[in-house]
Structures are given as structure tokens and as C-alpha cells.
Amino acid sequence: MKGTLVVYRDPEELADRFADQLMEWIAESSGKRFDLAISGGSTPNLLFAALASKYAGSKNWSQTHFWWVDERMVPADDPESNFGVAWKMLLSKINIPAQNIHRIKGECNPYQEASGYASQIREEVAMKDGWPRFDLILLGIGDDGHTASIFPNQMELIYNEHICEVATHPASHQQRVTLTGITLNSAARICFLVTGSNKSERLSEIWLGQEKGQCLPAYHIHPVGGELLWITDQQASQLITIL
Ligand code: 6PG
């Protein structure tokens, strides 16, 4: 599996150290806009808390543009909303201009919103070879090996020709808008944030390139012309680091 594995002691150390790394990358872009796409789920929450507590007043936020990798099609005040969680835990606590926040409107029609969000990305994010090149995309891995809202039963979203598409959660049938695989793989840098022993099997299947791993959406995500980092804790990487 391509990429670099980084192992921290636990989720708390990962959040604290990766918050510093993220702010360094933003600072390195020396004043140019930094387009960051974030995922939902629970893993990013510790990172959000670390960023809010350590960097609330940073001047870096004025150049940082937040986008979402995917969104559940629910109103922003729904506990399921990826934007809602990021707003509560981070965005409402930092000094960031409102126009730098580009949420997927979960309260709208999914198909119209997928099209509108793609247009906004095309207008604002630097393009390379016809695809948006996010400076950094933060991804997670579900227990089933999904990433973004690309689920194992919707692998066609990996090579879909649109910037984003409507997806459906296989169990809850909840509709989502998600960036597609080619969009993800067009990023300058992708970091998978993976913590907890419940992710260790999926991570090792993917990292070791096992047959089971090759059937998982996350296995097919690696930037074509960029950097891939697996930011993990000891529990999640326990089946890799013993080798
Ligand atoms: C979502 C996320 C999803 C998430 C994984 C991991 O909207 O749910 O984008 O892809 O990253 O499911 O979720 P946890 O961090 O909760 O394990």
C-alpha cells in the first residue's frame, strides 16, 4: 500500500500533534488560500477540540477554506450533520471568515446540492487536469472499509466522472453527498486519520494490500500526484507494526 504510516500513542496524542502539523502546512502555504476538505464521523472530533483550544486566534484561518468530503442530507442542526459537529466543536470557536466555510447544504435536495457544491468547488478550488486539487483532504475509514461516503456496495463512485455524487448508506439508506474517488485522488495531500482497535483489521488489510483490502473503497484512495499519510494510533496500527 502506498503512503507513509505515522503512529501515535493514542487518539489524544494524535489529535494534539496532528493539530500542530496541520497548522504548519497551512503556514507553509505562506498566505495563499489553503483548501481543506474534512470528513465527518467521530475520529476528527478530538482534532477539532485540539485546534479550537490551541489555535483559536491563529491568523492562519483567514487563508483557510473549509470544505466537506461528504455530508449526511440532514439539516445543519441535526446531530448527524458533519457540518453541525464541525461548527460546534471548531468553526464557532476560531477566528475564520464566514465566506471561508463551504458547507454541503444537507437540508436541500441531494441531487441539486451535489451539482451546486461541485460548481462551487470548480469556481473556487485550484484545478489540475480538469479536477479540483484540494491542498489537504482528511479522511476516515469506516468499520466496513468505506471512506468519505463511498461504501463497499457503491465502488463505482471511486471512478465516477463527477466531482461529487449522491450516495446512500447501505444500512440506514440515509442519502449523502460525497466527493468521488477521482476528486479525492486529485488532492495534493490526503491524510487518513485512523484510531482504535476496531479499525486495525481494515487498516492492515488495506496497508498490506491483501485481497480483502483491495475490495475496500479506502484501498483505492491515494493521490495521483500527491502525498498519502496514514495518521494512526497504536491500537489501529497494531496488526501492521508487529510485522
Ligand atoms: C462520515 C465520514 C466517514 C467517516 C468514517 C469513519 O460522514 O461518516 O465521512 O467516512 O470518516 O465512517 O468514521 P469514525 O471516525 O466515526 O470512525
Side-chain angles (χ1 to χ4, degrees), residues 5-241:
L5 183 71
V6 180
V7 183
Y8 290 108
R9 185 181 58 248
D10 52 34
E12 290 71 20
E13 184 187 52
L14 183 153
D16 185 59
R17 298 277 295 280
F18 189 72
D20 298 343
Q21 175 63 77
L22 173 57
M23 296 310 277
E24 262 177 52
W25 283 332
I26 297 173
E28 279 167 11
S29 62
S30 51
K32 286 200 324 295
R33 69 179 277 163
F34 189 90
D35 285 293
L36 165 64
I38 59 175
S39 286
S42 57
T43 303
N45 292 350
L46 279 176
L47 172 64
F48 294 160
L51 287 168
S53 71
K54 296 172 81 173
Y55 296 103
S58 170
K59 62 178 178 15
N60 286 351
W61 300 124
S62 62
Q63 72 191 80
T64 307
H65 286 255
F66 277 84
W67 303 83
W68 273 260
V69 165
D70 61 341
E71 183 57 276
R72 296 88 181 277
M73 297 314 284
V74 294
D77 60 358
D78 187 301
E80 278 274 296
S81 167
N82 290 338
F83 162 77
V85 171
W87 173 260
K88 196 165 65 180
M89 299 203 69
L90 174 61
L91 299 173
S92 60
K93 299 176 176 179
I94 62 175
N95 182 22
I96 185 165
Q99 65 266 27
N100 288 25
I101 299 170
H102 310 277
R103 74 180 181 97
I104 299 170
K105 301 177 190 65
E107 67 277 17
C108 294
N109 172 288
Y111 296 91
Q112 288 170 5
E113 184 55 19
S115 167
Y117 188 59
S119 302
Q120 199 187 4
I121 291 172
R122 254 194 299 278
E123 272 165 35
E124 296 213 25
V125 178
M127 301 292 278
K128 184 166 185 271
D129 301 332
W131 291 88
R133 187 167 173 78
F134 285 93
D135 293 289
L136 173 62
I137 296 182
L138 301 183
L139 295 175
I141 300 182
D143 294 352
D144 62 354
H146 81 260
T147 190
S149 282
I150 304 176
F151 296 97
N153 68 334
Q154 293 161 54
M155 294 293 277
E156 68 278 6
L157 291 176
I158 302 276
Y159 299 107
N160 181 291
E161 77 278 9
H162 296 137
I163 286 176
C164 56
E165 270 291 1
V166 176
T168 305
H169 190 285
S172 67
H173 305 301
Q174 181 188 61
Q175 286 189 304
R176 314 259 184 109
V177 167
T178 184
L179 297 183
T180 55
I182 299 181
T183 301
L184 298 175
N185 286 338
S186 301
R189 179 179 278 132
I190 290 178
C191 290
F192 277 98
L193 305 184
V194 191
T195 61
S197 53
N198 61 312
K199 303 289 175 73
S200 60
E201 274 188 54
R202 289 303 79 75
L203 181 58
S204 64
E205 289 161 0
I206 293 167
W207 177 262
L208 301 172
Q210 293 169 356
E211 206 171 317
K212 277 172 75 176
Q214 296 179 30
C215 305
L216 302 176
Y219 175 83
H220 298 273
I221 302 303
H222 36 79
V224 173
E227 184 184 19
L228 174 62
L229 292 163
W230 295 84
I231 310 295
T232 71
D233 69 352
Q234 286 173 357
Q235 284 206 342
S237 58
Q238 61 186 297
L239 299 179
I240 302 173
T241 43

